[in-house]
Structures are given as C-alpha cells and as structure tokens.
Amino acid sequence: MRFTLNGKVVNVRAHPMKRLLDVLREDCHLTGTKEGCGEGECGACTVLVNGAAVTSCLVPVGQVRGARVTTIEGLKRHRALQEAFVSEGGAQCGICTPGMIMTASTLGPSPSLDEIRSALAGNLCRCTGYGGIYRAVQRAGKKKHGGRL
Amino acid sequence: MTAPRALRIVGKSVPRKDGLAKVTGLAAYIDDLTYPGLLYGTTIRSTIPCGEIASIHLDFDTTGFTIVDVRDIPGRNVVALIDDDQPCLVEREVRHYAEPILLLAHEDRERLLEARAKTRIEYRPATPVFDPERSPKVFKRLAIDKGSLDEGFALADVVVEGEYRVPHQEQLYIEPNGMLAIPAENGVTVHGSLQCPYYVQRALRVVLGLPAHRVRVVQVETGGGFGGKEEYPSMLACHAALLALKARRPVKMVYDRIEDLEATTKRHPGVIRHRTGVTRDGRLAAMDIDVLLDGGAYATLSAVVLSRGVLHATGPYRCDHVRVRGRVVMTHTPPNGAFRGFGAPQTQFAVEVQMDRIAETLGLDPVTLRERNALRAGDTTATGQRLGRDTSALRVLREAVRRTDFRRRRRALAGTNRGLGLSLFFHGAGFTGAGEVKLASKATLELVERGVRVRVASAEIGQGSRTVHAQIVAETLGLPYDAVEIAQADTDQVPDSGPTVASRTAMVVGGLLQRCAAEMKTRLAGLTPRQYLKAHGPLSVTKEYRKPPEIEWDEEAYRGDAYGTYGWACDVAEVELDPDTCEVRPVRVTAVAELGRVLHPVMARGQIEGGTLQAVGYALVEQVVMRDGRMANAQLANYLIPTTRDTPAIDVVLLERPYRHGPFGAKGVGELPMDGPAPAIANALRHLGFDVREIPATPERLMELTRKGKGL
Amino acid sequence: MRTPLSPLRLFEPRSLRDALRLLADEGPLVPLAGCTDVYVSLNAGAPPGTRFLNLWALDELRRIEVRGSTLMIGALATYTQLARSKPVQARLPMLAAAAREIGGIQIQNRGTIGGNIGTGSPAGDSLPVLAAAAAVVVLQNARGRRQVPFNRFYTGYRASVRRPDELIVAVEVPAVDGRQWFRKVGTRAAQAISKVVMAGVRADRPRVALGSVAPTVIRATRTEAVLAETGDVAEARRALMTEIAPIDDLRSTAAYRRRVAGNLLERFWADTGIADRRSPIAD
C-alpha cells in the first residue's frame, strides 16, 4: 500500500481495512495521532488526507492508496499555531491537541471566531472550555499576517 | 490581580513545561509506549447487574493465552482504598454490570477479540436494586448540627421546601484509562495514566502481597483525569500486573471508549431535600438538608464524596440553626467515584436553586437575598468554622453583579426568550478535615548542576502542576524558571506527596515546595547550584506537611475547620430558549472567582473556563442512560459533551485575597468552577419561567414542564 | 476496534464497471463510501458483513452537475462538496444547509450523499431534503440502470428496494419551485444525531418531509394536502400527528418528537409565509 506520508512515499503492508489511525501508530510509528473514541466523534485522531481533515479512525488504509497524508509530526509552516497553543493555554492535558491543531491548520488566514467554532466543532476538548484554543488560533492567524499580537 | 512588584515569575504566564511536547505530538501517553515481547490484555466482565457466577467456559484454544482469574491473586482480592470492599476480580458474587471476572492476554489483539467472543459465563441472577431510596446498604452516614432546628423554625416567617435531583456525569477525559505492567526482579513496574501514584502502589502491594520497594508506579503523560483517574487506575494497574506476573512478559491494557464508559466511575447521582425557614426580610433562620447519594456497587471513595457534599450543602451562607443529614448507599450499578467537585456540585446545585425559590417566595431579587445571607469574615459555617479575612462571598457576588449589570439586565430580558440567573458558591481547598494531617505529604527539592529538580508525586494531568511548581520554586530560590526541572512522578524517584486531587496540588504540595526552596536558599548562602555542589556535594531538602496551628477538626463530632480555606465564586449565566424545541443555548457565563493568589493567569483562566464548560454540560446535555444497571449510551455519539458550538462566551474575572498558608497566597482552583454553572443556568431557566429542579435540563424535560404548567 | 480484521475482505474495483461486475460475481458485498457509518459499527464489534466493496476510488461518482432542469449529484459527493457547490446552493439550498449540519468537518469531508441514502437511517439528515425535493435515486447493476423515486425507495427500517447487485450511483433532483426550508434538532448544537429533522418546500403544493419520527424518512402527504387545500396550519398539524410514529430512544422521547414536529411545521409555515424573499435557511 503506497501513499505519501508527511512528504515521503511510504509502502505499508497491512490489511486494506486496517484503520489509517492504527497504520500510522503501529506500522509507521507515528504516535502523535491519538485515539479518543474510535467512532469519529472526538477528533483526536484527525489527520489531513490530500489537505482535508479526516478522522483517521474511520478511514481504511485502502482508501488512502496514492493519497497525501499529513500528521502532526509532518505539520510544517504552522509553527506559529503550535507556539500559540502553548502560550494561550490551548493545550492542557494535550491528548486532543494534535488533532485540534491539524483541523485548525486547514483554516484560512485570519479566521473569525465563528469560523473557528464551526471548523473545530468536530474536535472535542474536555480541559480548556475551548477559550484558550480560540485565542491560540486567532493569535496565530494574526501573526501569520503580520498583525499586532 | 496584579502581583506585588517583587515577584518575577509567580503571577506570570510562563510557557508551560509540557507545552512543546504536547503541540508537536511528541508527548508520550500510555498507548504510545511499547516494549519488546509486549502482550495485550483484556477484561472479561459481567453481563448481569446482580447475581452469582455459575460457570465459566473458555470455548477457544487457550494455547498462547495468559489467563488470570481470582485464584491467581497472590495477596488479598481487594482494590485497597477506604473500606476495601471492592474485589479486584469477582470470585462468585456479581454486584454490577461490567464487573471484572477474568483477564486474558495475548500478543495478537485479533486473537484476543476472538477469545472474548468465545468466553461464556453463566450466572444465577438475583434481583438488583437500582433505586437508592430502596437500598439495603448504607455505606456511610454523616451529620452536621448547629444550633437548634426548632429554635430556627420558630424564628421563621416562611418555610420553603424543595427536592432536587442531580444525575450521573462521566468525566470524559479524552484519553481512556490505560496501564502497562512490566515484571521486574521480585516485583513489578507499572506505567500508566493516573492521578495518584501512591494509591496505585498501595493497591498493587495489597493484591500482589509485595512490599513497597518491589512495586514501582510511574505516571506517564496523562490525557485528562478530572477525578476519573483517581481510584479506577488502581483496579486496572492490578489487572495489568497480575497478567504480567503470570505471563512473565510486559502487558498493556488500554480501554476503548465503550469499556471506559461502561466500567469506570461516574459522578454520584443524588437527591437533595431542603426545608428552609426564612424571615420575611430574607434572613435564613433554619436550614434542614437531607443528602442522598448513590454510591453504586462498592464503597470506593463514596464516604469522602459525601463528606464534601454535606460540608458544602448549606452553600456559602450564614445560618445559626442547621441540620444536615447525609447518606451514601449501595445500588447494583458500577461504582461512582471522584469527579471534579467531589460532592459539592451536587449539593450546591440544590442550595442555589433553593435560594432562588426562596427569593421568589419572598418577592426579593436573588442578589438581595444572597447579600443578606452571604458568609462574611468572622461568621461561622455549619461546622462552626470561624472564617478569616479571605472570605470573599460578598466581594465576588458584588463584582459579578456589577460586571453583568445583573438587576437591570434581568429586568430588560423579562418577556424575551432569554433568561439570566446567578449562583454564589464556595469550595474548600485541600483535603477535608484532618485529611492533610493523615496524609502527611512530602516534597523533595534536589540540587542539580543547572539548578534544582522537583521531586513530587503530583501528576500533571493538564492542570499545569509542573509549571506552577517550577514557578513557586524558581521564585523562592531566585533562580530562572528554566533552571527548575520536574522529575517524573515515579514512586522510585519521588516521595509521597499525596494524591493529585482536591484542589491541593498548587496549594498544599506547592506550599511544601516553597518551604523546601526557602531552606535550600538558606543552605546555598548565595552560591550557585554548581558552586555549591562542587564545594559541598549533593544537597536535597524534603519537607512534610505541617498543620497550621489554628486549624482544628473534630472528626467524631464533625465540628471545626473543615478546610484550611475556601475559594469563592459567583457565576452569572445568560441563556436563550428556542420556544419551538425548548433547546437552550447558553449565551454567556460570567465567572468571578477569588483564588487567593493567581500563580499563572493563563492557566488559572483555563481552569475556570474548562470547569465552567464541564458544568454547562452537566446542566444541559450530559446524560448517562442507565438501563438495568448498564450504561445504555456508552458511545461518544450518544453520551454528548459540549462542542465548540455548544459553548457560551465565558468571561473570567480573577480576584485575589492571599491565603496566608498558601504559597504566595494561592488557594486551590481546580474544582471551584465546577460548582456554580449548573445552578446559575437552572436559575436563568427559572427566570424564563421553568421550575427546574433536576438536571440536565434537557429540551425533553423543559417541554414536559411546559406541559405541566411549570414552564413558560 | 472490536472487530478482527483477518476474516474481512475488501474488494477494490478501479472503475464503476469493475465494481458492478464484482457485485454480480462476488456479491453480496457491503459497499463502502466514506465509511463514517461502517467503521462505527466495526469499532463496536458489530460488522455489517465480512465482504466489502471499496467505492472511494471511483471519481466518476463524485460529480455534481446540472443537466437541463435536473441537478445530478454523484453518489460519492461529500457533504463538504454539497455545502460548497454553487449549483446546490442555487437550486437546493436546503441540501447545502443540511450538509453543513452533519457531523464536524472531518465527517463532512468523508460522508457522502450515497452513503446517507444507502445507510438509510431514519435520522439521516439529507434524507428529508431529498424527500421534499422529490428526488430520484439512480440504481445501477451490471445489466443497466433504473430510477426509483426517493419516496418509494425505502421499504422499512434501514431497508430499501436496492437489490444486492445494485449500487446507488447518483441522485437526480428536478427543479424545486417554491421556498425551501430546513431544520435539524439534535442533542447539541453540532455533531449530533437528529432528534427531529424537517425539510419543507413552500409552493402551491407544499411539501413536508421528516426524519427521526418513523422507521424511515417520511413525506407527510396528508399534511401537505391540508396545507395545499386550506393553508390552515393548525389543521395541518393535526394531520401530521396522524402521519408520524416516533419512538422513545436513547436520544429523545416520542412525546417530545411529536411536539417538536408540530412546532417545526408551524415554524416552517410562518417562516416561509412572509413576503420577504430572502432564503429562510440560516447558516
């Protein structure tokens, strides 16, 4: 099974119905993608497939043949977002954080609060009440565009 | 909330110690760990709520499997906690659905799945009890008496009665429970997602019959706890260790979400009854309160949950004549346990809704009634505790009222689809009564080349304990924040600092570290760590909890200083009702809290926001559907917690009034925000015309109230 | 995940032809589109079958286009595609609105309209829209195509006229005259399974369809007739109560669903009755 993982072509031998989540964690040894529910509700396992956020617990690896898969380990060009998650309190226990950041990375520049709330509705966080996450995404959005911090 | 100028690090939002690892995916949680020769473990559980096991049939080829049952327990078959009544594995009697009976391990998880499907257990079912009012067994009774109820009611002009119901609530940490046990020479090492390393160690010692030094417990990065990883990890650690010791190989057990929801603890449901005597001008003359909590099948922590529940049952109000009766009873449901707030959210929901009903009865506004009765410095609580100067009930109330323009806004909203309500509440910081004395917690500070290393058993579960401890130590020693490193919570490396619970980690353990740092500073006498080590060799300082002399507690009489201090808060909630569907949208919650000293503004705000949203879920959406003693909605598609779009704007206002025994004046903060939002939301719905006395206030319940003429 | 993989088999056709041939020769197979439903079952240890047919690679089923007065939606069109599609926004805004309320964006990026139809949950959010739009389901097997009016597609709870060798390949939506209206009532504001979901079209012959109030999605034809003949919404509400049969389940109660269905009907009528021509579909 060939696909591009974080910019590199990988070839994985796995049952085509094995969850992408398990292939990433077990076959590719990338454990930054987390399992919170196994039913696509919590978003902790969010990765990007061809640039779109998906819950990797609901994706058979057979369906990413030839696709571009990006995980938290391969997230480039979003350092400002990651740093803002630290400084604004967007990460507490951290288990939802990789998935949350992956989804947030698909937002356009300078998203409004409403856009952030809509985009992140598929990522559950039980620690923060989401406030720190909104502030982190907004801060990173402004930074990216040279706005005032 | 500005800290005095002298502080360099405390009061500043320094970068959290675990931040970088968490945002890059490098932080390693239990399921991320693996070992050579690892086996996976699974649990075979009861499928009836009550009865006896008749027979067990393993209809599969057991070659290659490690199988553990009750006969494999070398020590005592009990999960050691308070009453030691909960077995580690069922021997014969089943007391609840999903009770562990058998453990299986295999290197191939697919084989385990097949084996699970081919394990049959036959039972002799008995009749379960699900209604706590009909329970045959009381785990614990508690009583608080102050003054005389007869005298109190004689002074009253009006008596208001009410019955309030609160539900189960699931902690719903996003990382399910997990443990990895590795056999060691003559002992075992267990790594896991947990809050209390030394609780787990003690449970392992009892089950395995091993001395402490042969049982090592290591907390790994933990994906949330909220109390849910206070007692249950002891059970899971014992299971993993039993399998590992029998197999002589490492064994990992990580629950999936369904198992975690079905088998592990929840917040205690309860029924709280109030009979309150008040004078015409709104003074509380007598409070008669009855608290009934459903403990589930085993005692676990129920006695202490009840304790905190009854100690907060009067709310932050002065009253000379009080009677509180509490009991927690057995039902044939999975044991209920610790969850942020620990009994106080249940009882303060009741008293705060009761207060609004009293105000309504008297024709007073809710603020005035609370102003007349709020505890002030010098007042005594129901247990006779005389309150000190850091008693901020009135201050948080007035600040919240001012910020929200409460009275005017409430009038302006009358007749619209929006309602406004408030709650005033408090939360005792640290262990109840003599708990801290019994714990005798210790903390150690060790000098290293680059600075110092903190050795404490406190578990970083997201709340920021590593960061706050480092701030306290750096500030006290005059070292940079980066010069403080935090040792992993590993029983081989850290002393017993007590469990990571009860809002005690910053206040109590942080206080010990402050004392360690102060002594170390004296010992350093101006030398840098490097210079000192070169000149004098290794240095480490350990401090043990010292009870402030003025704190006195009589456990027998339930009198005295229940807590060293209290956090105080007032919430104002605005909600919007959809009249077609009775859906309630929480629009805004203003949370004003007095925390002693704010050690880290970003994290303190995060604690308040996070706790507030958990409580919004408690008030409006979270519902454990129990059918025949089994959680029928044990999936995240059916047990719902708030998403971004269910979340109100949360305005956090942090006030300070330093507590003299807290590090830099800090009090506990973790649990306080869980207590207030549910009654504030219920009172906002009352403002809209709904007589809400039970949560969650689902659209179905509100619709039913409308039908009965108690809504809109 | 509670389902062992080794007994499962996945067939991976490269083209629709391949897929139809596999269905004919190897069937019955469980078709897999975005997997947002099947993997929930696999996770719970309740696989819907052991042999699966992967359709995800069949890009020919992803197209959304307008042919004459008909909106043609390929079965693999995702909710994200539907929500963003200009033709859908212009012709069937109630479908775009429904697509935006399904799951979070991760589910919208994977879930497909064909999957929603094929799963046939009574709570499927896009289904009342298709019912109210008088859509046509296009079924195809190795021998050819047939078209089934959406309102005759389901035969019972999660049961349909689709034969084991057929695939849902598209849904065709004729032009919809009149004002469209959609409302989903879930257990929370986002990412929730519907407790009641309603789509309506306000025209000379109004159309009303509901989900989560019967074993299948329903067109409330008697209610529609009352509205068309009398415009009396109170009378229509009484008719609606005779057409729905909601139940108590984990998410809600029959009593609640009945009242809300009635209230939504009145809201639909009030929202679409005003002179204002702006779309009443809120974002």
Side-chain angles (χ1 to χ4, degrees):
Chain A
M1 198 94 48
R2 280 161 77 88
F3 60 98
T4 305
L5 176 58
N6 296 332
K8 291 194 187 111
V9 175
V10 292
N11 210 332
V12 176
R13 284 171 63 97
H15 193 294
M17 290 193 70
K18 190 167 181 179
R19 304 183 300 177
L20 176 59
L21 170 66
D22 297 327
V23 169
L24 292 172
R25 292 177 54 81
E26 294 165 10
D27 301 79
C28 306
H29 308 291
L30 295 179
T31 56
T33 304
K34 308 299 182 187
E35 175 166 2
C37 68
E39 48 171 319
E41 289 285 330
C42 77
C45 67
T46 301
V47 300
L48 309 186
V49 174
N50 294 332
V54 304
T55 41
S56 60
C57 72
L58 299 184
V59 179
V61 68
Q63 291 192 346
V64 300
R65 219 182 273 276
R68 276 181 296 116
V69 177
T70 311
T71 69
I72 187 75
E73 291 90 349
L75 193 68
K76 303 283 188 316
R77 297 193 303 274
H78 288 282
R79 265 193 67 180
L81 183 63
Q82 288 169 302
E83 281 169 5
F85 264 75
V86 178
S87 61
E88 296 293 336
Q92 286 189 26
C93 84
I95 197 81
C96 77
T97 309
M100 194 71 78
I101 290 177
M102 293 314 290
T103 307
S105 76
T106 65
L107 277 161
S110 303
S112 67
L113 180 58
D114 221 43
E115 287 167 338
I116 297 171
R117 282 164 57 116
S118 294
L120 298 181
N123 289 82
L124 299 178
C125 171
R126 191 59 154 171
C127 292
T128 62
Y130 304 107
I133 292 167
Y134 301 152
R135 290 188 288 276
V137 176
Q138 284 181 316
R139 176 177 173 151
K142 283 180 194 160
K143 202 166 181 172
K144 213 158 48 184
H145 290 80
R148 219 157 45 82
L149 290 186
Chain B
M1 60 172 258
T2 44
R5 265 177 312 240
L7 299 182
R8 299 170 302 124
I9 297 164
V10 159
K12 305 280 195 309
S13 294
V14 296
R16 53 183 299 151
K17 290 277 179 192
D18 46 359
L20 191 63
K22 285 177 173 174
V23 299
T24 53
L26 294 175
Y29 298 79
I30 191 67
D31 201 21
D32 304 337
L33 304 185
T34 188
Y35 275 81
L38 184 72
L39 305 179
Y40 297 94
T42 193
T43 315
I44 306 295
R45 301 176 177 279
S46 61
T47 52
I48 61 164
C50 177
E52 285 186 353
I53 295 175
S55 57
I56 298 178
H57 307 271
L58 306 179
D59 300 335
F60 58 94
D61 177 2
T62 57
T63 317
F65 283 89
T66 303
I67 301 170
V68 163
D69 67 20
V70 66
R71 292 165 299 184
D72 293 299
I73 294 175
R76 287 170 56 213
N77 179 23
V78 70
V79 182
L81 200 58
I82 296 174
D83 284 359
D84 288 359
D85 66 335
Q86 185 178 24
C88 177
L89 290 170
V90 171
E91 188 169 349
R92 210 179 51 167
E93 185 200 354
V94 171
R95 275 214 218 163
H96 67 85
Y97 179 85
E99 193 162 4
I101 295 171
L102 208 60
L103 307 169
L104 308 179
H106 197 278
E107 60 194 9
D108 182 345
R109 271 175 292 183
E110 299 235 324
R111 296 290 306 281
L112 272 181
L113 287 169
E114 290 155 10
R116 278 179 67 104
K118 290 180 179 165
T119 302
R120 269 187 313 118
I121 297 177
E122 284 168 6
Y123 302 94
R124 282 186 287 273
T127 310
V129 176
F130 299 131
D131 180 358
E133 310 263 15
R134 291 161 186 237
S135 171
K137 183 175 173 65
V138 177
F139 289 130
K140 180 79 176 178
R141 287 180 198 276
L142 288 173
I144 298 172
D145 290 286
K146 179 187 186 187
S148 142
L149 269 195
D150 288 346
E151 266 180 53
F153 280 111
L155 296 169
D157 299 309
V158 181
V159 174
V160 177
E161 297 189 43
E163 181 180 299
Y164 305 92
R165 288 175 180 271
V166 287
H168 282 101
Q169 186 186 19
E170 162 59 34
Q171 295 88 355
L172 220 112
Y173 32 74
I174 304 293
E175 178 207 36
N177 274 284
M179 289 279 165
L180 196 163
I182 303 156
E185 204 177 334
N186 301 321
V188 67
T189 299
V190 179
H191 299 258
S193 179
L194 55 93
Q195 292 179 222
C196 312
Y198 278 92
Y199 279 9
V200 175
Q201 192 202 40
R202 181 166 156 243
L204 285 164
R205 279 163 47 200
V206 171
V207 161
L208 303 177
L210 290 173
H213 66 275
R214 298 219 175 121
V215 177
R216 178 178 168 201
V217 175
V218 185
Q219 184 234 353
V220 297
E221 206 67 73
T222 296
F226 317 113
K229 292 174 186 170
E230 176 169 349
E231 71 272 44
Y232 199 86
S234 296
M235 167 82 85
L236 181 50
C238 290
H239 291 170
L242 287 166
L243 281 169
L245 290 177
K246 188 161 183 187
R248 298 168 193 246
R249 283 169 71 175
V251 173
K252 181 155 86 174
M253 300 182 81
V254 176
Y255 289 169
D256 68 10
R257 180 60 63 185
I258 299 168
E259 183 171 21
D260 197 291
L261 287 169
E262 285 188 340
T264 75
T265 58
K266 311 269 178 285
R267 184 186 300 291
H268 289 70
V271 183
I272 297 110
R273 296 183 178 88
H274 276 259
R275 193 164 68 94
T276 314
V278 279
T279 62
R280 188 92 37 220
D281 64 350
R283 317 241 165 223
L284 297 175
M287 299 177 90
D288 185 10
I289 305 169
D290 181 74
V291 178
L292 170 63
L293 296 181
D294 176 353
Y298 296 102
T300 64
L301 291 166
S302 283
V304 249
V305 172
L306 178 69
S307 165
R308 196 173 274 273
V310 297
L311 288 167
H312 290 79
T314 62
Y317 302 110
R318 49 185 358 180
C319 179
D320 291 334
H321 306 286
V322 179
R323 179 172 77 179
V324 185
R325 292 290 176 268
R327 66 193 195 284
V328 58
V329 303
M330 195 273 280
T331 61
H332 291 102
T333 57
N336 296 309
F339 188 170
R340 193 180 204 164
F342 211 73
Q346 290 94 316
T347 55
Q348 292 197 87
F349 170 77
V351 68
E352 280 303 278
V353 176
Q354 172 82 352
M355 287 298 277
D356 264 37
R357 291 187 50 240
I358 293 169
E360 223 170 56
T361 308
L362 296 175
L364 285 175
D365 83 84
V367 178
T368 307
L369 178 70
R370 286 174 174 83
E371 276 178 336
R372 296 216 169 127
N373 296 287
L375 286 165
R376 290 140 166 91
D379 282 347
T380 57
T381 66
T383 60
Q385 175 170 10
R386 191 162 297 282
L387 293 166
R389 284 199 307 208
D390 62 335
T391 299
S392 303
L394 271 178
R395 187 171 163 216
V396 293
L397 174 65
R398 286 179 176 148
E399 183 63 19
V401 167
R402 189 184 68 78
R403 293 248 177 184
T404 56
D405 200 2
F406 183 84
R407 289 182 169 103
R408 214 167 57 175
R409 179 85 187 142
R410 203 162 138 102
R411 277 194 302 274
L413 292 178
T416 72
N417 286 338
R418 289 202 178 191
L420 195 69
L422 66 73
S423 63
L424 182 63
F425 52 104
F426 67 154
H427 199 91
F431 258 42
T432 302
E436 291 294 345
V437 176
K438 282 187 207 145
L439 275 176
S441 304
K442 293 183 193 66
T444 297
L445 200 56
E446 178 193 4
L447 205 60
V448 295
E449 287 279 319
R450 284 190 59 246
V452 288
R453 181 180 297 135
V454 169
R455 294 185 185 274
V456 292
S458 300
E460 171 66 75
I461 54 174
Q463 83 284 43
S465 60
R466 294 176 188 135
T467 305
V468 163
H469 285 167
Q471 285 180 285
I472 290 168
V473 167
E475 185 73 59
T476 308
L477 271 169
L479 285 174
Y481 169 70
D482 288 340
V484 183
E485 58 183 75
I486 311 286
Q488 191 167 20
D490 170 346
T491 55
D492 268 10
Q493 301 292 322
V494 301
D496 186 355
S497 320
T500 309
V501 304
S503 311
R504 63 185 293 281
T505 299
M507 187 181 89
V508 177
V509 184
L512 294 174
L513 284 170
Q514 189 184 29
R515 283 169 50 210
C516 290
E519 181 175 323
M520 190 167 270
K521 185 171 186 181
T522 313
R523 303 268 287 271
L524 286 173
L527 296 180
T528 67
R530 200 181 302 272
Q531 289 166 336
Y532 183 96
L533 288 169
K534 202 168 169 195
H536 306 286
L539 172 63
S540 86
V541 177
T542 297
K543 292 288 177 195
E544 187 173 316
Y545 178 77
R546 221 168 39 198
K547 180 179 79 71
E550 71 275 22
I551 297 180
E552 292 296 342
W553 174 252
D554 180 345
E555 182 74 24
E556 288 302 303
Y558 242 65
R559 303 287 304 162
D561 302 316
Y563 300 95
T565 189
Y566 298 83
W568 307 88
C570 182
D571 282 347
V572 175
E574 183 167 328
V575 302
E576 184 174 76
L577 181 86
D578 182 323
D580 293 337
T581 62
C582 284
E583 291 171 289
V584 176
R585 184 169 73 88
V587 178
R588 178 174 296 275
V589 174
T590 302
V592 179
E594 190 268 283
L595 311 173
R597 166 81 72 214
V598 177
L599 299 172
H600 189 294
V602 162
M603 294 197 315
R605 183 180 183 186
Q607 284 295 305
I608 305 268
E609 288 174 333
T612 298
L613 187 59
Q614 287 180 353
V616 168
Y618 188 45
L620 292 174
V621 297
E622 294 184 34
Q623 205 162 22
V624 172
V625 180
M626 281 287 179
R627 284 189 188 153
D628 300 325
R630 173 182 188 177
M631 182 174 179
N633 57 334
Q635 282 183 302
L636 281 205
N638 290 323
Y639 182 87
L640 300 188
I641 64 168
T643 69
T644 49
R645 295 209 1 219
D646 302 278
T647 300
I650 302 173
D651 294 330
V652 176
V653 182
L654 303 177
L655 304 179
E656 296 187 318
R657 178 88 206 206
Y659 167 50
R660 64 193 178 109
H661 298 300
F664 300 94
K667 300 175 176 178
V669 49
E671 295 171 285
L672 177 67
M674 186 74 220
D675 296 348
I681 287 170
N683 289 337
L685 288 167
R686 176 168 299 281
H687 183 215
L688 273 169
F690 290 96
D691 184 11
V692 173
R693 303 188 200 185
E694 179 174 11
I695 49 173
T698 58
E700 286 78 4
R701 286 215 170 105
L702 297 177
M703 199 70 100
E704 188 63 18
L705 287 174
T706 311
R707 202 182 57 76
K708 287 184 185 158
K710 291 177 177 179
L712 286 187
Chain C
M1 189 163 89
R2 296 189 171 192
T3 302
L5 291 176
S6 35
L8 306 186
R9 180 147 179 222
L10 181 66
F11 293 87
E12 303 185 74
R14 299 281 176 94
S15 66
L16 178 58
R17 243 177 93 97
D18 264 6
L20 296 173
R21 192 186 48 75
L22 283 167
L23 268 182
D25 298 347
E26 302 281 348
L29 304 175
V30 181
L32 287 186
C35 299
T36 56
D37 201 68
V38 166
Y39 268 69
V40 173
S41 306
L42 294 178
N43 183 60
T50 55
R51 290 147 55 81
F52 298 85
L53 182 68
N54 179 22
L55 305 177
W56 192 248
L58 310 183
D59 287 339
E60 57 210 283
L61 300 183
R62 285 213 158 81
R63 282 192 290 272
I64 301 174
E65 58 194 345
V66 179
R67 278 192 216 150
S69 62
T70 303
L71 178 64
M72 317 278 294
I73 303 172
L76 288 185
T78 62
Y79 301 120
T80 299
Q81 263 179 290
L82 295 170
R84 290 183 186 162
S85 157
K86 289 280 180 289
V88 173
Q89 287 170 3
R91 293 167 161 260
L92 206 55
M94 59 183 170
L95 182 59
R100 277 194 293 269
E101 293 206 26
I102 294 172
I105 64 163
Q106 295 94 325
I107 300 300
Q108 292 169 16
N109 284 339
R110 292 276 303 170
T112 65
I113 193 156
N116 212 214
I117 297 169
T119 298
S121 160
D125 289 331
S126 73
L127 307 184
V129 170
L130 298 177
V136 172
V137 180
V138 182
L139 295 168
Q140 191 169 346
N141 64 11
R143 294 185 310 281
R145 289 184 162 217
R146 64 177 175 134
Q147 290 172 305
V148 180
F150 188 79
N151 296 310
R152 288 208 291 270
F153 184 74
Y154 295 110
T155 54
Y157 179 72
R158 290 183 185 246
S160 75
V161 301
R162 183 181 78 86
R163 297 179 193 122
D165 69 340
E166 287 178 317
L167 280 181
I168 299 164
V169 293
V171 52
E172 298 177 353
V173 187
V176 176
D177 289 328
R179 303 187 62 201
Q180 300 176 21
W181 189 90
F182 176 82
R183 178 70 199 272
K184 166 177 173 169
V185 180
T187 312
R188 65 184 166 195
Q191 258 225 93
I193 299 170
S194 294
K195 296 197 280 200
V196 180
V197 53
M198 183 187 285
V201 178
R202 181 72 177 262
D204 291 345
R205 298 180 60 87
R207 298 181 196 157
V208 175
L210 298 98
S212 294
V213 294
T216 68
V217 60
I218 60 155
R219 262 288 285 277
T221 49
R222 269 174 293 184
T223 307
E224 291 174 359
V226 173
L227 288 173
E229 284 157 24
T230 69
D232 179 346
V233 72
E235 183 65 26
R237 183 177 181 139
R238 281 189 287 278
L240 181 63
M241 293 306 118
T242 68
E243 296 192 89
I244 60 176
I247 55 167
D248 289 342
D249 65 11
L250 287 175
R251 287 179 283 280
S252 191
T253 64
Y256 177 81
R257 288 175 158 127
R258 296 184 80 83
R259 283 191 62 159
V260 168
N263 290 350
L264 292 188
L265 181 71
E266 293 188 16
R267 181 62 56 195
F268 155 62
W269 205 244
D271 281 356
T272 53
I274 46 172
D276 182 358
R277 302 303 290 179
R278 276 176 308 177
S279 169
I281 291 169
D283 283 333

